[in-house]
Amino acid sequence: MNYTRHWNKTVCGNQDRKLGDIQSGLKALESEGEKRVLTRSEPSMLQNVVSDQWSVSKNVEAIWRQKSRQTWCRLGDRNTQFFHLAANIRRSRITITQIKYKGTTLFYSYRYKGSCCFFLF
């Protein structure tokens, strides 16, 4: 069994179901608040439900982050070729290929690189 699934079932339980239950309870409390004035204990209960919703949603987010990382490790990053190609295109575009100095054009070579930089700067 997948470790993430095992951890999800044994340690945390079904976080998606917990989040759904919390959200439905929150909607019920909010609709009761619209119909009538809440009793003394209900606002604190509403606050607890909201904090539970926040913590469970963070858990669900962490689970999805772990699952995506696991998928990335298994399948690899399919965009790597794109980013390397983009970096190479940028490097070729910003590379100095020739220098014009007093009407003379010097084409880029390793022999001129050091002397031009020393001479011009």
Side-chain angles (χ1 to χ4, degrees):
M1 180 186 276
N2 187 327
Y3 178 74
T4 309
R5 286 186 189 152
H6 176 71
W7 174 79
N8 188 17
K9 288 180 182 177
T10 58
V11 177
C12 293
N14 191 337
Q15 295 292 306
D16 292 324
R17 187 176 0 184
K18 280 183 186 179
L19 186 60
D21 293 344
I22 288 172
Q23 287 174 341
S24 64
L26 182 63
K27 285 181 185 177
L29 278 173
E30 288 175 343
S31 66
E32 284 296 318
E34 291 174 1
K35 293 177 186 174
R36 63 175 173 79
V37 177
L38 296 176
T39 63
R40 278 186 157 176
S41 63
E42 287 176 331
S44 64
M45 202 161 72
L46 183 64
Q47 189 177 12
N48 289 338
V49 170
V50 169
S51 68
D52 288 345
Q53 179 189 17
W54 186 83
S55 65
V56 171
S57 66
K58 288 293 179 185
N59 288 343
V60 169
E61 187 178 322
I63 290 168
W64 280 107
R65 188 171 32 253
Q66 289 170 354
K67 287 179 182 180
S68 69
R69 191 172 297 133
Q70 186 180 36
T71 302
W72 185 86
C73 288
R74 188 175 67 245
L75 298 177
D77 186 5
R78 298 182 190 270
N79 290 329
T80 302
Q81 182 180 5
F82 168 78
F83 289 116
H84 283 291
L85 184 62
N88 288 337
I89 289 171
R90 177 171 165 69
R91 187 180 312 122
S92 68
R93 190 176 51 217
I94 66 172
T95 300
I96 298 173
T97 57
Q98 62 185 10
I99 296 175
K100 291 185 180 180
Y101 181 70
K102 294 185 179 179
T104 305
T105 302
L106 302 173
F107 291 96
Y108 177 80
S109 73
Y110 290 105
R111 184 175 61 147
Y112 293 128
K113 182 179 179 182
S115 61
C116 290
C117 291
F118 178 74
F119 179 73
L120 295 174
F121 300 107

